[in-house]
């Protein structure tokens, strides 16, 4: 991890998964291996690596800890699990029958600290212990949807935070996950929070205490700004709650990524749509909107109007400048042999680039179609007026006029 300061958040997790987990296991297991995950760890690793990356590390299959699996007693297994009661019990069940071993050698990797009671269960399973080749807490209990952002994979936490019944431990869970982020990025941050927020104060205190505990349990761990790692100073962890910005969730966002997720049918990273092929036949296309799509990364934070302008200009410019375009458009008869040879070499690039540009132009048009059908232009105008306290002309609106506009919008829903 000596170069982790040069990597993105996603790059750090990817490095830890490929080098720390898969290469670490491969160093003591020479043949093909099986990777067994739970739902939480699967979401973590699928956000940073693909099946091709995993198979390159001699992983023959990826299976769920909760599924019934075929015994492979001649192969070693890598378990990458969150140490929940369910996952620990399933792990022990795998090794409950010494006469019918499910796997040979065992590599145990956990995405966060293993609680004492879970560790006691593992120690009590002699059949498992005699097969263990590696045991490590790899600190990856979060998800990286793109290079410079992460989330804690807690979609239901908002209600738990603000309506906490007795015994609710959501603050502790958040702190545990943030500690794994800091551990992965080699950061021991200064913690700052809004003084008026009791919730932020709780989380800040929990993170501080758990970071101190983590450092005492891992004396070899280093952090940026510490001794012998002074290339840059310690980072800052800034904690805010929704009270700092209550309006944003109530206003439509018109950047490309926001509109795709709000208005189109997206399943994780995948979106499917119908288009016509060269023969005029309709076909369904599946598109993955992720870090492997450079054009998506370039466009996703731009306003939808700017996206459509940029795509139109880029398509026109590419058609004019690319020799493959002339062949694709059946204009090759006006070309010399040398020009035709050059154009033939450019043809695959032309088709690939045009397919990508056309794909995003199609999605942008679908966003604008939904924008028009749902009357979001009128909705956004009322939203902006209510949020800012001024209308499009910069004047304070009259309360009655604003209420009338709101009633008209609701009547059209």
């Amino acid at each position: 991890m000596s170069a982790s300061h040069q990597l993105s958040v996603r790059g750090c997790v990817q490095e830890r998964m490929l080098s720390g987990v898969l290469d670490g296991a491969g160093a003591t297991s020479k043949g093909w291996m099986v990777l067994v995950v739970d739902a939480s760890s699967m979401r973590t690793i699928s956000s940073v690596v693909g099946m091709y990356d995993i198979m390159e590390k001699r992983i023959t299959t990826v299976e769920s800890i909760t599924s019934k699996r075929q015994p492979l007693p001649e192969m070693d297994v890598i378990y990458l699990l969150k140490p929940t009661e369910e996952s620990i019990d399933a792990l022990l069940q795998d090794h409950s029958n010494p006469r019918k071993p499910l796997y040979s050698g065992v590599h145990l990797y956990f995405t966060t600290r293993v609680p004492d009671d879970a560790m006691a269960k593992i120690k009590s399973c002699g059949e498992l212990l005699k097969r263990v080749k590696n045991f490590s807490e790899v600190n990856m209990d979060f998800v990286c949807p793109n290079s410079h952002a992460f989330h804690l994979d807690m979609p239901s936490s908002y209600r738990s935070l603000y309506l906490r019944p007795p015994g609710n431990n959501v603050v502790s869970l958040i702190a545990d996950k943030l500690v794994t982020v800091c551990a992965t990025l080699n950061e021991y941050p200064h913690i700052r929070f809004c003084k008026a927020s009791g919730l932020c104060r709780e989380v800040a205190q929990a993170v501080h205490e758990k970071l101190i505990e983590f450092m005492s349990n891992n004396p070899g761990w280093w952090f940026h700004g510490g001794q012998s790692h002074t290339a840059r100073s310690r980072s800052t962890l800034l904690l805010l709650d929704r009270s700092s910005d209550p309006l944003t969730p109530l206003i439509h966002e018109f950047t490309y990524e926001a509109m795709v997720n709000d208005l189109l049918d997206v399943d994780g990273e995948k979106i499917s749509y119908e288009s016509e092929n060269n023969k005029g036949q309709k076909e369904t296309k599946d598109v993955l909107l992720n870090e492997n799509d450079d054009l998506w990364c370039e466009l996703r934070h731009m306003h939808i109007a700017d996206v459509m302008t940029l795509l139109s200009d880029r398509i026109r410019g590419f058609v004019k400048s690319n020799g493959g375009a002339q062949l694709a458009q059946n204009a090759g008869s006006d070309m010399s042999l040398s020009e035709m040879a050059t154009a033939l070499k450019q043809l695959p690039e032309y088709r690939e680039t045009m397919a990508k540009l056309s794909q995003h132009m199609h999605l942008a048009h679908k966003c604008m179609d939904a924008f028009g059908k749902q009357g979001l232009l009128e909705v956004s105008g009322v939203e902006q007026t209510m949020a800012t306290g001024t209308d499009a002309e910069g004047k304070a609106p009259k309360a009655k006029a604003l209420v009338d506009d709101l009633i008209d919008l609701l009547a059209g829903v």
Side-chain angles (χ1 to χ4, degrees):
M1 291 294 293
S2 59
S4 66
H5 63 285
Q6 299 175 351
L7 298 175
S8 64
V9 179
R10 188 172 183 268
C12 288
V13 180
Q14 186 179 62
E15 182 186 70
R16 180 156 293 195
M17 178 64 199
L18 295 177
S19 301
V21 175
L22 301 185
D23 284 346
T28 53
S29 293
K30 301 307 179 184
W32 285 86
M33 298 173 288
V34 178
L35 176 61
V36 175
V37 298
D38 56 20
S40 175
S41 62
M42 185 63 191
R43 288 191 293 271
T44 295
I45 64 175
S46 62
S47 70
V48 296
V49 296
M51 275 304 300
Y52 178 79
D53 302 311
I54 293 173
M55 291 180 68
E56 277 203 319
K57 301 297 183 178
R58 293 187 282 115
I59 304 299
T60 184
T61 184
V62 179
E63 298 187 306
S64 170
I65 187 76
T66 57
S67 300
K68 187 175 181 180
R69 282 158 278 135
Q70 175 187 356
L72 296 167
E74 75 286 355
M75 298 180 69
D76 286 357
V77 60
I78 303 172
Y79 287 99
L80 179 61
L81 307 171
K82 183 171 182 175
T84 62
E85 183 177 359
E86 180 185 16
S87 292
I88 295 296
D89 288 346
L91 168 66
L92 300 183
Q93 182 62 36
D94 280 0
H95 301 276
S96 60
N97 189 344
R99 290 178 294 179
K100 294 183 179 180
L102 204 56
Y103 306 106
S104 181
V106 174
H107 305 274
L108 287 177
Y109 293 95
F110 293 98
T111 58
T112 188
R113 179 181 176 276
V114 181
D116 292 342
D117 57 342
M119 186 66 77
K121 283 185 176 183
I122 293 172
K123 289 180 178 179
S124 69
C125 183
E127 184 63 23
L128 171 61
L129 290 181
K130 73 180 185 181
R131 298 179 182 276
V132 172
K133 293 185 175 183
N134 280 308
F135 182 101
S136 181
E137 297 166 346
V138 293
N139 297 301
M140 300 192 306
D141 195 14
F142 56 98
V143 175
C144 295
N146 60 57
S147 295
H148 301 289
F150 68 89
H151 64 76
L152 302 183
D153 197 22
M154 299 176 68
S156 303
S157 62
Y158 189 83
R159 179 181 178 88
S160 300
L161 280 169
Y162 291 96
L163 298 173
R164 281 181 277 173
N168 185 294
N169 64 342
V170 65
V171 168
S172 181
L173 289 175
I174 289 174
D176 285 335
K177 287 171 174 284
L178 286 175
V179 167
T180 71
V181 176
C182 295
T184 295
L185 299 180
N186 292 102
E187 298 286 1
Y188 176 43
H190 302 287
I191 303 174
R192 302 289 182 262
F193 58 91
C194 179
K195 185 178 180 180
S197 172
L199 176 60
C200 289
R201 181 185 297 275
E202 282 187 68
V203 174
Q205 184 64 34
V207 171
H208 174 71
E209 292 173 356
K210 289 176 182 291
L211 270 173
I212 296 299
E213 181 183 6
F214 171 80
M215 294 172 67
S216 66
N217 292 333
N218 297 271
W221 180 77
W222 61 271
F223 58 90
H224 296 291
Q227 292 181 353
S228 72
H229 292 90
T230 58
R232 60 180 176 83
S233 59
R234 288 170 61 186
S235 62
T236 298
L237 173 61
L238 178 62
L239 297 172
L240 301 171
D241 66 11
R242 181 45 62 194
S243 65
S244 301
D245 179 23
L247 295 178
T248 295
L250 307 177
I251 300 175
H252 282 85
E253 174 69 47
F254 296 126
T255 56
Y256 184 35
E257 182 177 30
M259 291 190 72
V260 166
N261 282 279
D262 286 347
L263 303 177
L264 306 184
D265 187 14
V266 182
D267 181 13
E269 297 178 339
K270 188 178 80 170
I271 183 169
S272 302
Y273 67 92
E274 279 193 350
S275 67
E276 287 190 0
N277 59 24
N278 296 332
K279 298 179 181 179
Q281 300 169 330
K282 287 190 175 182
E283 59 182 13
T284 300
K285 291 187 176 181
D286 292 333
V287 179
L288 291 178
L289 302 175
N290 56 28
E291 296 289 304
N292 296 321
D293 185 341
D294 293 336
L295 189 56
W296 167 252
C297 293
E298 178 185 354
L299 301 175
R300 60 189 173 189
H301 300 309
M302 295 174 60
H303 192 279
I304 189 67
D306 296 330
V307 168
M308 298 188 73
T309 299
L310 184 148
L311 288 173
S312 297
D313 291 345
R314 193 164 293 182
I315 288 172
R316 283 194 293 268
F318 187 71
V319 168
K320 288 180 180 178
S321 65
N322 191 279
Q326 297 183 46
L327 285 179
Q329 296 170 4
N330 299 318
S333 57
D334 297 328
M335 304 170 70
S336 67
L337 287 176
S338 61
E339 290 173 335
M340 191 172 293
T342 301
L344 281 169
K345 293 178 182 179
Q346 295 177 341
L347 190 58
E349 176 194 1
Y350 168 79
R351 287 176 173 164
E352 181 180 352
T353 303
M354 281 300 294
K356 186 62 68 176
L357 289 168
S358 299
Q359 166 190 301
H360 283 286
M361 180 63 85
H362 180 84
L363 293 178
H365 274 292
K366 283 178 69 69
C367 287
M368 291 307 298
D369 288 344
F371 176 85
K373 290 177 181 178
Q374 296 182 26
L376 292 182
L377 181 61
E378 293 79 10
V379 171
S380 64
V382 175
E383 288 175 344
Q384 292 292 333
T385 300
M386 294 176 67
T388 62
T390 59
D391 58 21
E393 298 175 353
K395 299 178 181 179
K398 294 182 179 180
K400 184 179 184 307
L402 190 57
V403 170
D404 289 343
D405 288 341
L406 188 59
I407 291 173
D408 290 341
L409 287 176
L410 293 174
V413 174

